[in-house]
PDB file of all heavy atoms in Angstrom:
ATOM      1  N   MET C 182     -13.725  -3.857   5.162  1.00 98.00           N
ATOM      2  CA  MET C 182     -13.088  -3.556   3.870  1.00 98.00           C
ATOM      3  C   MET C 182     -12.126  -2.390   3.981  1.00 98.00           C
ATOM      4  O   MET C 182     -12.505  -1.348   4.519  1.00 98.00           O
ATOM      5  CB  MET C 182     -14.165  -3.117   2.860  1.00 98.00           C
ATOM      6  CG  MET C 182     -14.910  -4.233   2.252  1.00 98.00           C
ATOM      7  SD  MET C 182     -16.249  -3.566   1.257  1.00 98.00           S
ATOM      8  CE  MET C 182     -17.492  -3.259   2.524  1.00 98.00           C
ATOM      9  N   PRO C 183     -10.916  -2.577   3.439  1.00 98.00           N
ATOM     10  CA  PRO C 183      -9.985  -1.448   3.423  1.00 98.00           C
ATOM     11  C   PRO C 183     -10.346  -0.457   2.324  1.00 98.00           C
ATOM     12  O   PRO C 183     -10.938  -0.830   1.318  1.00 98.00           O
ATOM     13  CB  PRO C 183      -8.633  -2.102   3.116  1.00 98.00           C
ATOM     14  CG  PRO C 183      -8.967  -3.329   2.348  1.00 98.00           C
ATOM     15  CD  PRO C 183     -10.330  -3.774   2.829  1.00 98.00           C
ATOM     16  N   VAL C 184      -9.969   0.800   2.530  1.00 97.00           N
ATOM     17  CA  VAL C 184     -10.377   1.879   1.622  1.00 97.00           C
ATOM     18  C   VAL C 184      -9.162   2.634   1.084  1.00 97.00           C
ATOM     19  O   VAL C 184      -8.280   2.991   1.849  1.00 97.00           O
ATOM     20  CB  VAL C 184     -11.289   2.874   2.381  1.00 97.00           C
ATOM     21  CG1 VAL C 184     -11.548   4.103   1.557  1.00 97.00           C
ATOM     22  CG2 VAL C 184     -12.605   2.200   2.759  1.00 97.00           C
ATOM     23  N   SER C 185      -9.202   2.845  -0.225  1.00 95.00           N
ATOM     24  CA  SER C 185      -8.219   3.769  -0.816  1.00 95.00           C
ATOM     25  C   SER C 185      -8.995   4.751  -1.700  1.00 95.00           C
ATOM     26  O   SER C 185      -9.303   5.848  -1.269  1.00 95.00           O
ATOM     27  CB  SER C 185      -7.167   2.959  -1.591  1.00 95.00           C
ATOM     28  OG  SER C 185      -6.268   3.858  -2.182  1.00 95.00           O
ATOM     29  N   VAL C 207     -18.023  -2.278   7.867  1.00 98.00           N
ATOM     30  CA  VAL C 207     -16.964  -1.562   8.549  1.00 98.00           C
ATOM     31  C   VAL C 207     -15.893  -1.152   7.534  1.00 98.00           C
ATOM     32  O   VAL C 207     -15.306  -2.006   6.861  1.00 98.00           O
ATOM     33  CB  VAL C 207     -16.312  -2.419   9.673  1.00 98.00           C
ATOM     34  CG1 VAL C 207     -15.248  -1.618  10.414  1.00 98.00           C
ATOM     35  CG2 VAL C 207     -17.397  -2.910  10.668  1.00 98.00           C
ATOM     36  N   ALA C 208     -15.697   0.164   7.423  1.00 98.00           N
ATOM     37  CA  ALA C 208     -14.648   0.699   6.558  1.00 98.00           C
ATOM     38  C   ALA C 208     -13.346   0.734   7.335  1.00 98.00           C
ATOM     39  O   ALA C 208     -13.349   1.092   8.512  1.00 98.00           O
ATOM     40  CB  ALA C 208     -15.023   2.115   6.119  1.00 98.00           C
ATOM     41  N   VAL C 209     -12.249   0.349   6.683  1.00 98.00           N
ATOM     42  CA  VAL C 209     -10.957   0.331   7.367  1.00 98.00           C
ATOM     43  C   VAL C 209     -10.016   1.300   6.651  1.00 98.00           C
ATOM     44  O   VAL C 209      -9.770   1.170   5.458  1.00 98.00           O
ATOM     45  CB  VAL C 209     -10.341  -1.085   7.370  1.00 98.00           C
ATOM     46  CG1 VAL C 209      -9.039  -1.116   8.153  1.00 98.00           C
ATOM     47  CG2 VAL C 209     -11.351  -2.112   7.949  1.00 98.00           C
ATOM     48  N   ASP C 210      -9.511   2.263   7.414  1.00 97.00           N
ATOM     49  CA  ASP C 210      -8.589   3.237   6.836  1.00 97.00           C
ATOM     50  C   ASP C 210      -7.267   3.181   7.598  1.00 97.00           C
ATOM     51  O   ASP C 210      -7.188   2.667   8.721  1.00 97.00           O
ATOM     52  CB  ASP C 210      -9.197   4.644   6.916  1.00 97.00           C
ATOM     53  CG  ASP C 210      -8.504   5.645   5.993  1.00 97.00           C
ATOM     54  OD1 ASP C 210      -7.686   5.213   5.163  1.00 97.00           O
ATOM     55  OD2 ASP C 210      -8.806   6.846   6.113  1.00 97.00           O
ATOM     56  N   ALA C 211      -6.216   3.715   6.946  1.00 97.00           N
ATOM     57  CA  ALA C 211      -4.890   3.740   7.585  1.00 97.00           C
ATOM     58  C   ALA C 211      -4.759   5.009   8.403  1.00 97.00           C
ATOM     59  O   ALA C 211      -5.191   6.079   7.972  1.00 97.00           O
ATOM     60  CB  ALA C 211      -3.829   3.694   6.486  1.00 97.00           C
ATOM     61  N   ALA C 212      -4.081   4.896   9.550  1.00 95.00           N
ATOM     62  CA  ALA C 212      -3.769   6.101  10.330  1.00 95.00           C
ATOM     63  C   ALA C 212      -2.904   7.000   9.441  1.00 95.00           C
ATOM     64  O   ALA C 212      -1.983   6.510   8.764  1.00 95.00           O
ATOM     65  CB  ALA C 212      -3.021   5.715  11.598  1.00 95.00           C
ATOM     66  N   GLY C 213      -3.219   8.282   9.378  1.00 93.00           N
ATOM     67  CA  GLY C 213      -2.463   9.206   8.532  1.00 93.00           C
ATOM     68  C   GLY C 213      -3.112   9.405   7.166  1.00 93.00           C
ATOM     69  O   GLY C 213      -2.620  10.171   6.367  1.00 93.00           O
ATOM     70  N   SER C 214      -4.214   8.679   6.902  1.00 93.00           N
ATOM     71  CA  SER C 214      -4.920   8.835   5.633  1.00 93.00           C
ATOM     72  C   SER C 214      -5.977   9.929   5.757  1.00 93.00           C
ATOM     73  O   SER C 214      -6.513  10.166   6.852  1.00 93.00           O
ATOM     74  CB  SER C 214      -5.613   7.520   5.275  1.00 93.00           C
ATOM     75  OG  SER C 214      -6.685   7.733   4.372  1.00 93.00           O
ATOM     76  N   ALA C 215      -6.272  10.588   4.630  1.00 92.00           N
ATOM     77  CA  ALA C 215      -7.330  11.599   4.626  1.00 92.00           C
ATOM     78  C   ALA C 215      -8.525  11.125   3.798  1.00 92.00           C
ATOM     79  O   ALA C 215      -9.357  11.912   3.377  1.00 92.00           O
ATOM     80  CB  ALA C 215      -6.791  12.907   4.080  1.00 92.00           C
ATOM     81  N   ALA C 216      -8.619   9.796   3.571  1.00 94.00           N
ATOM     82  CA  ALA C 216      -9.696   9.269   2.717  1.00 94.00           C
ATOM     83  C   ALA C 216     -11.068   9.685   3.231  1.00 94.00           C
ATOM     84  O   ALA C 216     -12.001   9.882   2.476  1.00 94.00           O
ATOM     85  CB  ALA C 216      -9.582   7.740   2.641  1.00 94.00           C
ATOM     86  N   PHE C 217     -11.195   9.786   4.582  1.00 92.00           N
ATOM     87  CA  PHE C 217     -12.475  10.189   5.180  1.00 92.00           C
ATOM     88  C   PHE C 217     -12.440  11.612   5.704  1.00 92.00           C
ATOM     89  O   PHE C 217     -13.198  11.986   6.589  1.00 92.00           O
ATOM     90  CB  PHE C 217     -12.866   9.208   6.296  1.00 92.00           C
ATOM     91  CG  PHE C 217     -13.173   7.830   5.784  1.00 92.00           C
ATOM     92  CD1 PHE C 217     -12.159   6.902   5.588  1.00 92.00           C
ATOM     93  CD2 PHE C 217     -14.481   7.472   5.460  1.00 92.00           C
ATOM     94  CE1 PHE C 217     -12.428   5.627   5.086  1.00 92.00           C
ATOM     95  CE2 PHE C 217     -14.756   6.207   4.964  1.00 92.00           C
ATOM     96  CZ  PHE C 217     -13.733   5.307   4.770  1.00 92.00           C
ATOM     97  N   GLY C 218     -11.490  12.406   5.226  1.00 91.00           N
ATOM     98  CA  GLY C 218     -11.314  13.776   5.687  1.00 91.00           C
ATOM     99  C   GLY C 218     -10.166  13.847   6.682  1.00 91.00           C
ATOM    100  O   GLY C 218      -9.484  12.852   6.951  1.00 91.00           O
ATOM    101  N   ARG C 224       2.758   7.695   6.348  1.00 89.00           N
ATOM    102  CA  ARG C 224       2.429   6.304   6.745  1.00 89.00           C
ATOM    103  C   ARG C 224       3.188   5.348   5.850  1.00 89.00           C
ATOM    104  O   ARG C 224       3.560   5.719   4.730  1.00 89.00           O
ATOM    105  CB  ARG C 224       0.920   6.056   6.663  1.00 89.00           C
ATOM    106  CG  ARG C 224       0.350   6.302   5.286  1.00 89.00           C
ATOM    107  CD  ARG C 224      -1.181   6.298   5.240  1.00 89.00           C
ATOM    108  NE  ARG C 224      -1.650   6.354   3.875  1.00 89.00           N
ATOM    109  CZ  ARG C 224      -1.771   7.460   3.155  1.00 89.00           C
ATOM    110  NH1 ARG C 224      -1.457   8.616   3.697  1.00 89.00           N
ATOM    111  NH2 ARG C 224      -2.163   7.411   1.895  1.00 89.00           N
ATOM    112  N   LEU C 226       1.996   2.050   5.272  1.00 93.00           N
ATOM    113  CA  LEU C 226       1.065   1.166   4.560  1.00 93.00           C
ATOM    114  C   LEU C 226       0.816   1.670   3.161  1.00 93.00           C
ATOM    115  O   LEU C 226       0.656   2.875   2.959  1.00 93.00           O
ATOM    116  CB  LEU C 226      -0.284   1.161   5.316  1.00 93.00           C
ATOM    117  CG  LEU C 226      -0.412   0.188   6.463  1.00 93.00           C
ATOM    118  CD1 LEU C 226      -1.636   0.555   7.318  1.00 93.00           C
ATOM    119  CD2 LEU C 226      -0.546  -1.256   5.950  1.00 93.00           C
ATOM    120  N   ILE C 229      -3.794   1.035   0.894  1.00 94.00           N
ATOM    121  CA  ILE C 229      -4.903   1.505   1.717  1.00 94.00           C
ATOM    122  C   ILE C 229      -4.635   2.982   2.066  1.00 94.00           C
ATOM    123  O   ILE C 229      -3.486   3.383   2.180  1.00 94.00           O
ATOM    124  CB  ILE C 229      -5.040   0.646   3.004  1.00 94.00           C
ATOM    125  CG1 ILE C 229      -6.199   1.108   3.876  1.00 94.00           C
ATOM    126  CG2 ILE C 229      -3.748   0.611   3.771  1.00 94.00           C
ATOM    127  CD1 ILE C 229      -6.441   0.189   5.067  1.00 94.00           C
ATOM    128  N   GLY C 230      -5.704   3.762   2.215  1.00 92.00           N
ATOM    129  CA  GLY C 230      -5.557   5.171   2.596  1.00 92.00           C
ATOM    130  C   GLY C 230      -5.371   6.066   1.385  1.00 92.00           C
ATOM    131  O   GLY C 230      -5.169   5.594   0.259  1.00 92.00           O
ATOM    132  N   SER C 231      -5.451   7.362   1.632  1.00 89.00           N
ATOM    133  CA  SER C 231      -5.324   8.338   0.553  1.00 89.00           C
ATOM    134  C   SER C 231      -4.930   9.672   1.183  1.00 89.00           C
ATOM    135  O   SER C 231      -5.279   9.945   2.327  1.00 89.00           O
ATOM    136  CB  SER C 231      -6.687   8.464  -0.156  1.00 89.00           C
ATOM    137  OG  SER C 231      -6.609   9.486  -1.118  1.00 89.00           O
ATOM    138  N   LEU C 238     -17.348   7.973  -1.450  1.00 91.00           N
ATOM    139  CA  LEU C 238     -17.913   7.625  -0.145  1.00 91.00           C
ATOM    140  C   LEU C 238     -18.814   8.709   0.428  1.00 91.00           C
ATOM    141  O   LEU C 238     -18.576   9.885   0.250  1.00 91.00           O
ATOM    142  CB  LEU C 238     -16.762   7.380   0.851  1.00 91.00           C
ATOM    143  CG  LEU C 238     -15.759   6.325   0.411  1.00 91.00           C
ATOM    144  CD1 LEU C 238     -14.659   6.192   1.424  1.00 91.00           C
ATOM    145  CD2 LEU C 238     -16.465   4.997   0.181  1.00 91.00           C
ATOM    146  N   LEU C 246     -16.239   3.172  11.103  1.00 97.00           N
ATOM    147  CA  LEU C 246     -14.936   3.415  10.506  1.00 97.00           C
ATOM    148  C   LEU C 246     -13.873   2.974  11.509  1.00 97.00           C
ATOM    149  O   LEU C 246     -13.913   3.375  12.661  1.00 97.00           O
ATOM    150  CB  LEU C 246     -14.773   4.903  10.180  1.00 97.00           C
ATOM    151  CG  LEU C 246     -13.381   5.363   9.775  1.00 97.00           C
ATOM    152  CD1 LEU C 246     -12.940   4.688   8.495  1.00 97.00           C
ATOM    153  CD2 LEU C 246     -13.350   6.893   9.613  1.00 97.00           C
ATOM    154  N   ALA C 247     -12.952   2.133  11.060  1.00 97.00           N
ATOM    155  CA  ALA C 247     -11.846   1.698  11.929  1.00 97.00           C
ATOM    156  C   ALA C 247     -10.553   2.259  11.332  1.00 97.00           C
ATOM    157  O   ALA C 247     -10.321   2.125  10.148  1.00 97.00           O
ATOM    158  CB  ALA C 247     -11.766   0.183  11.980  1.00 97.00           C
ATOM    159  N   VAL C 248      -9.752   2.881  12.173  1.00 97.00           N
ATOM    160  CA  VAL C 248      -8.471   3.421  11.693  1.00 97.00           C
ATOM    161  C   VAL C 248      -7.344   2.603  12.314  1.00 97.00           C
ATOM    162  O   VAL C 248      -7.311   2.399  13.525  1.00 97.00           O
ATOM    163  CB  VAL C 248      -8.351   4.922  12.079  1.00 97.00           C
ATOM    164  CG1 VAL C 248      -6.993   5.481  11.641  1.00 97.00           C
ATOM    165  CG2 VAL C 248      -9.478   5.720  11.450  1.00 97.00           C
ATOM    166  N   VAL C 249      -6.454   2.098  11.452  1.00 96.00           N
ATOM    167  CA  VAL C 249      -5.439   1.156  11.920  1.00 96.00           C
ATOM    168  C   VAL C 249      -4.046   1.716  11.589  1.00 96.00           C
ATOM    169  O   VAL C 249      -3.823   2.256  10.510  1.00 96.00           O
ATOM    170  CB  VAL C 249      -5.641  -0.219  11.221  1.00 96.00           C
ATOM    171  CG1 VAL C 249      -4.520  -1.188  11.593  1.00 96.00           C
ATOM    172  CG2 VAL C 249      -7.003  -0.794  11.567  1.00 96.00           C
ATOM    173  N   GLY C 250      -3.114   1.562  12.527  1.00 94.00           N
ATOM    174  CA  GLY C 250      -1.746   2.053  12.349  1.00 94.00           C
ATOM    175  C   GLY C 250      -0.890   1.034  11.609  1.00 94.00           C
ATOM    176  O   GLY C 250      -1.226  -0.141  11.519  1.00 94.00           O
ATOM    177  N   ALA C 275      -4.343  -4.741   8.016  1.00 97.00           N
ATOM    178  CA  ALA C 275      -5.085  -3.664   8.660  1.00 97.00           C
ATOM    179  C   ALA C 275      -6.550  -4.092   8.877  1.00 97.00           C
ATOM    180  O   ALA C 275      -7.153  -3.828   9.913  1.00 97.00           O
ATOM    181  CB  ALA C 275      -5.014  -2.399   7.822  1.00 97.00           C
ATOM    182  N   THR C 276      -7.091  -4.762   7.893  1.00 98.00           N
ATOM    183  CA  THR C 276      -8.496  -5.200   7.951  1.00 98.00           C
ATOM    184  C   THR C 276      -8.694  -6.247   9.043  1.00 98.00           C
ATOM    185  O   THR C 276      -9.676  -6.194   9.812  1.00 98.00           O
ATOM    186  CB  THR C 276      -8.900  -5.711   6.549  1.00 98.00           C
ATOM    187  OG1 THR C 276      -8.680  -4.668   5.627  1.00 98.00           O
ATOM    188  CG2 THR C 276     -10.370  -6.121   6.498  1.00 98.00           C
ATOM    189  N   ALA C 279      -8.559  -4.478  12.364  1.00 96.00           N
ATOM    190  CA  ALA C 279      -9.831  -3.784  12.629  1.00 96.00           C
ATOM    191  C   ALA C 279     -10.897  -4.790  13.069  1.00 96.00           C
ATOM    192  O   ALA C 279     -11.670  -4.534  14.009  1.00 96.00           O
ATOM    193  CB  ALA C 279     -10.286  -3.066  11.357  1.00 96.00           C
TER     194      ALA C 279
END
Side-chain angles (χ1 to χ4, degrees):
M182 279 173 278
V184 171
S185 179
V207 182
V209 183
D210 197 9
S214 158
F217 293 86
R224 58 190 188 278
L226 274 165
I229 180 173
S231 175
L238 305 178
L246 170 63
V248 177
V249 176
T276 303

